């Protein structure tokens, strides 16, 4: 947990790259998993509620295992039609159930591949709901602690220190702060909403520089040009299309050139 | 495994009573779980594919734990509308995925209750499909071995010795043979199909006697009055309605009076 | 449409009684449809998203037809696990799709029974979402107008006149205002939220009097004892349990004694 | 119905080209609908059970309408995970319910586009189940007759005359026999099973010639080089990939050069 006391960890210049994968379902293929998984160090694998099915989960876990990539559960709301992207007035106990169900299901596939889960990252609307209501982070940590205390919870880099501490102290679950490579930030450390202009950084060089600056200096330059301190142990990248893959390759190259080691978060947190 | 070499185990006069529970879903209640769980020693808990949802699974696991009842996964086909009772041309790898997914999901709820799963019993059409195609029993054992080698697999009392051995030797999973309290048997050890007259034994005394005879003598009197040897470690009973509960109470009483101990199968197999 | 110019219609002393039915699913039975359908004049039939399945829809339509009860679609959000009771951030175009899909599906069963649909009543969270965002009422009317211009839309008695007019004038769909027999009202004409004390009127006599007063005087006595004008063409009652059925019988008796005719809303709107 | 008395119709040299479309779902895109729909004359649109969702159905219906393509329901088994390709032991009444539900749902979207449905073609395993059990064709015709007597039912070209007659005489539904452009035939008029070599005709010229021969001569050359009479009013083509689209273009060209008119089946049956 002391790694969270920021600069110390940054001296090690270690960073994790994570990506949402395993989002295919039945006859439907989504994402370039075969190509993005070898480029990242942590895989957020859909667990059947918003995407993914047992065959896809099994295949994706195997692919992650074969590439020594940290295996993570990416549980979502029970909304396949909406891809888990629509907020839902689900109660906290209902949400705990959804999390336990999906994390447990993925654990079985990890076991079949002779692996342990490394982390949990709530998906889509559930991640956003948790950002607005930290009780959902706590609920997630509570479930994780019960199911496997070694699991790491991914949450936004700007999450209140109080929430991070609570997760660690009360539930004994390690938080990993997440940074988004291709998203612009507000000065409060939150993402610029997608509907605003400039929310998504399409320029590969700018995105890679944003990642490098966060990793090496613990700083992000916001939409309004202000610089704020922001630290994260994992960086979210995408594998939806060839262009996205090129961005990941570019980020990897820039980090490597700068002497930053790219490792699964479970190895250095 | 030596318990399966019949008479030895019978001398101990130990038997497990199992029941399908946790079959409610959302706003829908099915079964008298609160009443039947205290009467049995193993609970087959639906895992969300044919019945059950995360809230129901969590509640049912807690109820089983509170009653020291063995917690079992009751995985079914992905057919909520048909309650998993309709055979489906699913491939073996698809079935393995369904089993792993559901067993893993229930494991998470067991972990939240501080418990381990005791057993796995495929549900409905999946159980029947396995009876016709033992490759499904093997697939089930393979998944169980990968997920938790201590799990016990429930299969019909008349299952071929070759299949039982394979499950034990190849996969290291313990089989428990299952007897049905209220179903008439054919002389090949299989159940009389439900559509035939006399398939279901509605008389409580006759059903209890059938159970007692199987437990103490290792024999069942078939529909054609022939007596065949049949041994089982667990007896399936129902908790759908007050009448079914009375049958369970009657069976418990008869077994107890005869000096038979009623215990979770995991304690004596 | 002129019926909506209040008192005129009340002179006719006609009222419709509606109830949510067809909420069973697969192996799950919910509600006492066989008993409540003969007691009401309009049936709101679940359409498979929050409850109901094709077999249940077919059976319920037949039952309604056999009892000369108006057949209505009761479309809900795609949330079987939550019974359509949880608000969801679905977009307006998505909602139109859900409505069209479900209304069309029920129309097919009505056609199989040689009947036409009479009305549409959004279910649960969708009804509540529409109360907060009238654009959903409009979207519903737009879909109804396209699918069958003779359909009647049920919405709360206190709905703004502007919304009612828009539905009628723009889309040519007739609105029917709905009153709740066993719910207390606020002085703005809205229901007292369920979490507040006194929200549900459990006393049969009081509930029946509330209905009678609304029908004959166009008035409701609110929670704070104030009297407000409130007019409705249909009254919602329940068939969940024997007690609820007794309330419906009591309301019918009181209305009949007072000379009020109980008729499907399609006959007098 | 007299059109089915073969040669007469063939003199007109009219043929329909149909394709399975609207198979996307939520975030998942499947098929090149925008490109294939302008190339065919009948669209078999998935209805939400094995593929498709309300938004996709609405969009696909609009696209078909804009291209003057016959709008057809392509109902499947309730098995999204298996894309409706796995046989299921569903009863006849259950199947009728699935058909009515899905046909009705699509009708609503057709109504929103100001159109009528032209036809119904059961999808995948359901089509195959019907081939083996003609009671399913009859059940389909029964549902169609109840829902809209003008609907045309697509079934394999080699369907027994007795079945075709029954559908027409008993239920008043018009059958349209379907030929597969890129599949080899056995001498009994059935498709060569996909697992056998040569089952799929990958050569565009051969496939186009097979179609042309069937249309102009009422003959197909089977796998064993025998020639059998085979007549159909509609030819199934695919739009899954650019290569498939090229085949459709090639078939259109060959048919047009030969003076065959390509028209929606509803215009000439």
């Amino acid at each position: 947990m002391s790694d969270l006391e920021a600069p110390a960890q940054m001296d090690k210049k270690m960073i994790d790259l994570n990506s949402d994968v395993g989002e295919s379902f039945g006859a439907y293929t989504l994402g370039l998993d075969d190509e993005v998984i070898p480029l990242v160090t942590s895989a957020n694998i859909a667990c059947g509620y918003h995407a993914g099915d047992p065959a896809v989960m099994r295949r994706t876990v195997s692919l992650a295992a074969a590439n020594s990539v940290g295996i993570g559960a990416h549980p979502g709301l029970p909304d396949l039609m909406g891809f888990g992207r629509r907020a839902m007035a689900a109660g906290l106990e209902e949400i705990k159930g959804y999390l336990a169900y999906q994390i447990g299901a993925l654990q079985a596939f990890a076991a079949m591949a002779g692996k342990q889960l490394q982390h949990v990252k709530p998906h889509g609307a559930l991640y956003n709901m948790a950002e607005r209501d930290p009780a959902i982070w706590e609920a997630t940590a509570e479930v994780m602690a019960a199911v496997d205390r070694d699991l790491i919870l991914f949450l936004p880099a700007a999450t209140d220190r109080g929430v991070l501490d609570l997760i660690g102290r009360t539930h004994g679950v390690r938080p990993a702060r997440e940074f988004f490579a291709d998203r612009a930030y507000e000065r409060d450390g939150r993402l610029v909403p997608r509907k605003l202009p400039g929310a998504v950084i399409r320029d590969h060089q700018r995105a890679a520089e944003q990642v490098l600056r966060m990793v090496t200096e613990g700083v992000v330059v916001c939409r309004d040009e202000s610089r704020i301190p922001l630290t994260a142990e994992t960086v979210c990248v995408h594998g939806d299309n060839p262009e996205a893959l090129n961005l990941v390759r570019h980020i990897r190259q820039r980090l490597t050139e700068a002497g930053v080691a790219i490792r699964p978060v479970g190895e250095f947190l």
Side-chain angles (χ1 to χ4, degrees), chain A:
Chain A
M1 293 307 301
S2 59
D3 305 87
L4 283 169
E5 310 309 320
Q9 168 201 344
M10 288 307 109
D11 292 347
K12 284 189 268 173
K13 289 185 174 163
M14 294 266 199
I15 194 73
D16 177 51
L17 295 184
N18 77 72
S19 190
D20 299 351
V21 294
E23 295 183 331
S24 295
F25 180 88
Y28 301 108
T29 300
L30 199 70
L32 301 169
D33 290 2
D34 288 345
E35 292 162 75
V36 77
I37 287 178
L39 297 176
V40 298
T41 42
S42 288
N44 317 314
I45 301 176
C47 300
Y49 264 42
H50 73 280
D53 67 31
V56 171
M57 290 165 77
R58 192 177 173 194
R59 193 186 324 130
T60 312
V61 163
S62 294
L63 196 59
N67 284 278
S68 303
V69 164
I71 297 168
H74 198 36
L77 293 174
D79 178 19
L80 189 64
M81 217 189 277
F83 203 66
R85 285 180 177 149
R86 305 185 292 196
M88 238 175 116
L92 216 50
E93 294 306 314
E94 290 173 321
I95 288 172
K96 282 185 203 169
Y98 300 160
L99 291 165
Y101 188 89
Q102 294 179 77
I103 295 169
L106 191 68
Q107 279 183 313
F109 293 105
M112 285 178 81
K115 296 287 176 183
Q116 299 266 323
L117 291 197
Q118 175 196 249
H119 69 283
V120 172
K121 173 180 166 178
H123 165 83
L126 190 52
Y127 190 93
N128 298 336
M129 285 160 64
E131 258 191 289
R132 286 190 299 271
D133 177 8
I136 297 178
W137 292 126
E138 278 186 69
T140 309
E142 183 190 325
V143 168
M144 291 166 64
V147 167
D148 176 0
R149 198 167 291 263
D150 290 333
L151 287 169
I152 296 167
L153 174 58
F154 284 13
L155 23 60
T159 305
D160 280 351
R161 162 112 344 230
V163 173
L164 297 176
D165 285 353
L166 192 72
I167 285 167
R169 287 196 205 127
T170 311
H171 300 293
V173 160
R174 286 170 293 164
R177 291 164 299 181
E178 184 180 33
F179 185 78
F180 290 82
D182 67 349
R183 294 292 300 276
Y185 278 84
E186 302 282 9
R187 65 191 307 165
D188 65 357
R190 295 184 184 262
L191 297 177
V192 174
R194 277 183 183 278
K195 59 192 166 197
L196 294 187
V200 177
I201 301 172
R202 302 192 192 283
D203 182 75
H204 287 194
Q205 201 167 327
R206 269 191 59 213
E209 266 160 27
Q210 163 164 304
V211 171
L212 194 57
R213 192 181 298 114
M214 187 280 295
V215 173
T216 56
E217 305 174 36
V219 158
V220 66
V221 178
C222 299
R223 185 165 66 117
D224 64 0
E225 302 298 323
S226 62
R227 293 167 62 94
I228 59 164
L230 204 69
T231 310
E233 290 78 35
T234 186
V235 173
C236 185
V237 295
H238 307 293
D240 311 280
N241 55 66
E243 198 55 16
L245 293 175
N246 281 335
L247 173 56
V248 186
R249 288 189 194 102
H250 187 62
I251 291 171
R252 287 184 64 92
Q253 192 188 331
R254 293 293 301 272
L255 287 169
T256 306
E257 287 169 0
V260 178
I262 305 170
R263 294 270 188 287
V265 67
E267 291 185 12
F268 64 86
L269 193 67

